[in-house]
Each structure stands twice: as structure tokens, then as C-alpha cells.
Amino acid sequence: MNGLKKMIYGLCFVVGAGCATSVKYEDATKVETTTADFGSTDLQQIANKMVDSLLSFPPIIQTTTERSPIIFVDTIKNKTLEHIDTESITDSIRTKILRSGKFRFVDMTKVEAAKKQFEFQNESGMVNQATAAAFGRNIGAEYMLYGNFASIVKKSDNVKDVYYKFTLNLMKLETGIIEWADEKEIRKISKRSLFGW
Amino acid sequence: MSDRIIKKARDTKLRYLWIAVGLMVLPCAGCSTAVIEGSASAVSRQDGQTVVKNQIRTDNDRMEGRLQITDLKADFAGNLLRAHVSLLNKNNNTGNFQFKFSWFDENGNEIDSDTDAWTPLILYGNESRSLQAIAPAPSVKEFKIKIRELSME
């Protein structure tokens, strides 16, 4: 009996020891289903779908065969109930498009910082003018990338059903025509069970 | 009287045994993840747009019974390789699969490894589905698709 008791205490100790905080590296590309909230897999799915769709759209293939037009990325309106960093989604999309070599980008969020550097180079008297970047040589963007991110959430006592819809549009600035658009839908359900983890 | 004491002792012993078994089983209950994987590769070149190499490899017998890669094609969207993969769920039950593309240049070197993520894919019973993906760079001449089914995660 004493032996059995010791065995139980030992097992309790082992199980208890397993509950201590531990840290390990995980695969960043692995499907993540911790909760039904927006997660890394959703971000990766949206970015992949949007880039694949844009780069395989026949009129875009035609436009980008001979040259790499310039795009500026406007904001993605977050209409979901969650706090989602939509800039992170557009960053992933921009990186993938840029690496394909099909488009080039201008970053409107860095205009002020670039302007300060221009002024320093041209007006401070500290920079050799032969090496200073000249004013008025920036290239105007031809297209604007913008979109919406919406969600529908339904809840019951034990079930949460989340539907996400990400829409992205590419507008030609000169004509105002939307040259390409696509959307990605994601639906996730989380269920709370009585047993298990 | 002594019989009752012996019976009580035996019951207590049994109870302790059950607790011991329960404690041993409990940590393992959430860990039975079975991963099975199949992979395929295809090569397409800009001169003629024909599939040069087309291999379907299945690592696991169970995967072979669950899912079939019915077709593999590659063509070019502009100068970017485009992969086309047709899948068939051979089972009557809905399958929860995950797929991931990887991309290689003409020397077989992987391009931008770990940029493509595992993507969830639901295939209903006996459903066939086509997947498409665009290579991340013009230097890509070959693609691979890995598909796995997670029975529990």
C-alpha cells in the first residue's frame, strides 16, 4: 500500500512538473488554431490568395510584361470587431508582389522622413552637392491598392462562428478604373467542449 | 469483521490503481497527432510550356487511400511559373487536409523557403478540387506540393 501511495505521489509530482512554463520555437508556417480570432494562418492565406490572383490576372500579366508599374498602398479599412493590424497584411502583400518583380512601390508613410533627408542633403550645407539626391525626381504612382476587411461573428453558449471577408482593389489613378479586385473569405468555428483540451 | 477490513483494503488499493492509470493516461490524451504527407513535383520551361518532369510520391499508405493527386501541370503567367494541382478525396468522409507549395530554380535550389505557409483545405467526401499557385520569383522553374492530413490537432 505504501508503495502504491509513493507511486501516486511520484506521478502527481511528474504531472505537476509538466505544468511549469516552457518555451519552444514553433514553425511560423504551421496552421494556427489557438482561438477563432484572426491569426497568422489567416494573414498568410489572405496574402497568398491576393498576390496569386493579382499576378495571374490576364490584363495585369499583359501590363507587367514589358515594365514594372508603380503602386502606392492605401489603408485597408478594418470593419471587423477585432483590433487587427491591417498594415501587417498589406506589408506581406507588398513584399510578395515586390519580390515577383512585376510592380514597384512608393511608401507614402515615409514621405515626411524622406523630405527631411532631402532638405538635409540640399539645404544644410553639410552634404557634397555632387552626391545629394535632387528634388523633383520622385516617380508618380500609377496605381493605388486599397481594400476592406469585414467580419460577421455569431455566438451561442458553446459555439463561436466567425466569417472574415478581405477585399482588395487595384485602381488606375489616371482613369479611376478598378483594374483588378478580388476577395478572400475565411470561416472559422470554435466549440467549447466539457472535457478535453 | 476481518473480511470487511480485507475488502476495504482491496477497494482502496483498486482506487489507487485507477488514479495511477488515470494520471498516466491524462498527459497523453491530447498528443495523438498523426501526420501523413504526400509530395509531388513538376517542371515547366518557357520553351514549349510542356511538363518535363511530373512525379507523384506518397510516403504513407493511409494517405494513398485518402487522397489522390489526379493531375499536376505547370505553365507560365508572364514569366512566373504557375502551378496547377488537381486533388481527389477518395474517401466518403470529409477530409481536413493542409497543403504547402515550395519553389525551386533550375538548379534545384529552393527559392524563398518558408515563405509559403501551410494552408488548410477541406475536401468533402469524394470531392475533387483544383489548386493554383504562382511562383514567388521569375527564377522559379519547378514546384512541389506537400499535402498532409492531421487526424487530431
Side-chain angles (χ1 to χ4, degrees):
Chain A
M1 184 64 70
N2 275 340
L4 257 177
K5 267 188 181 170
K6 278 180 188 168
M7 193 175 146
I8 304 287
Y9 291 145
L11 277 167
C12 285
F13 178 75
V14 169
V15 171
C19 296
T21 305
S22 69
V23 178
K24 60 171 182 170
Y25 283 99
E26 262 295 355
D27 179 7
T29 66
K30 187 180 164 187
V31 172
E32 175 264 320
T33 52
T34 314
T35 67
D37 295 340
F38 186 76
S40 61
T41 302
D42 305 320
L43 190 152
Q44 289 157 343
Q45 276 193 80
I46 288 169
N48 274 346
K49 164 79 194 286
M50 291 301 147
V51 174
D52 283 6
S53 169
L54 175 68
L55 299 181
S56 60
F57 191 54
I60 297 293
I61 295 172
Q62 206 172 11
T63 309
T64 57
T65 304
E66 298 291 323
R67 61 196 187 91
S68 304
I70 296 164
I71 296 178
F72 96 86
V73 182
D74 193 34
T75 51
I76 303 290
K77 269 190 193 163
N78 180 11
K79 294 178 176 175
T80 69
L81 299 172
E82 292 174 55
H83 172 75
I84 295 169
D85 180 9
T86 54
E87 202 177 336
S88 176
I89 305 172
T90 49
D91 280 352
S92 291
I93 292 171
R94 187 178 63 187
T95 306
K96 282 173 184 286
I97 295 173
L98 199 56
R99 287 190 63 79
S100 74
K102 294 293 175 187
F103 288 94
R104 292 173 293 164
F105 287 83
V106 286
D107 191 345
M108 294 310 289
T109 64
K110 292 295 166 198
V111 167
E112 276 306 310
K115 197 179 160 198
K116 270 187 188 168
Q117 182 58 215
F118 265 118
E119 284 165 1
F120 170 71
Q121 290 188 15
N122 290 286
E123 293 163 13
S124 69
M126 293 171 72
V127 178
N128 179 352
Q129 287 304 292
T131 63
F135 274 112
R137 297 256 179 100
N138 271 208
I139 298 170
E142 197 176 333
Y143 295 96
M144 177 171 77
L145 203 60
Y146 65 99
N148 285 313
F149 195 24
S151 73
I152 299 168
V153 180
K154 290 198 168 183
K155 278 182 192 172
S156 69
D157 287 345
N158 299 319
V159 179
K160 184 181 179 188
D161 187 319
V162 190
Y163 167 84
Y164 291 111
K165 191 176 78 170
F166 185 92
T167 312
L168 199 63
N169 308 296
L170 184 75
M171 180 197 277
K172 189 162 187 176
L173 285 167
E174 199 174 311
T175 59
I177 291 171
I178 297 172
E179 299 282 355
W180 165 88
D182 206 349
E183 56 186 35
K184 171 72 183 169
E185 293 171 297
I186 293 170
R187 189 165 170 221
K188 293 198 283 189
I189 295 174
S190 72
K191 286 177 186 167
R192 191 189 299 158
S193 54
L194 192 59
F195 297 106
W197 60 65
Chain B
M1 185 68 180
S2 63
D3 278 358
R4 275 176 63 192
I5 293 168
I6 292 167
K7 191 173 180 294
K8 196 179 172 190
R10 201 171 54 218
D11 286 352
T12 314
K13 196 177 174 182
L14 266 173
R15 199 161 57 231
Y16 276 122
L17 262 174
W18 277 115
I19 294 168
V21 169
L23 281 169
M24 281 188 276
V25 167
L26 208 58
C28 305
C31 317
S32 56
T33 308
V35 180
I36 41 182
E37 192 173 294
S39 73
S41 70
V43 174
S44 184
R45 295 180 194 282
Q46 263 171 314
D47 51 328
Q49 297 193 350
T50 49
V51 174
V52 178
K53 191 170 74 177
N54 188 334
Q55 284 184 336
I56 295 172
R57 187 169 61 84
T58 311
D59 296 340
N60 192 293
D61 288 343
R62 196 181 143 203
M63 189 64 166
E64 222 161 41
R66 294 282 286 132
L67 187 80
Q68 189 184 350
I69 298 172
T70 50
D71 200 11
L72 270 178
K73 280 179 195 159
D75 62 2
F76 282 87
N79 60 353
L80 294 172
L81 186 87
R82 179 167 46 192
H84 304 263
V85 180
S86 301
L87 301 171
L88 171 70
N89 180 3
K90 293 166 82 176
N91 208 296
N92 290 329
N93 303 322
T94 300
N96 281 296
F97 301 99
Q98 297 178 2
F99 69 89
K100 182 180 185 176
F101 282 95
S102 37
W103 309 94
F104 302 86
D105 66 12
E106 57 191 347
N107 299 318
N109 299 318
E110 189 165 1
I111 304 290
D112 289 351
S113 59
D114 283 342
T115 52
D116 267 56
W118 285 101
T119 307
L121 172 72
I122 297 166
L123 282 178
Y124 296 110
N126 303 308
E127 186 191 3
S128 58
R129 178 89 65 88
S130 293
L131 305 175
Q132 275 189 23
I134 294 275
S139 57
V140 170
K141 299 285 181 262
E142 182 180 345
F143 78 87
K144 267 186 189 174
I145 182 169
K146 290 177 188 169
I147 307 152
R148 65 183 183 183
E149 183 186 27
L150 295 188
S151 59
M152 186 179 171
E153 189 173 47

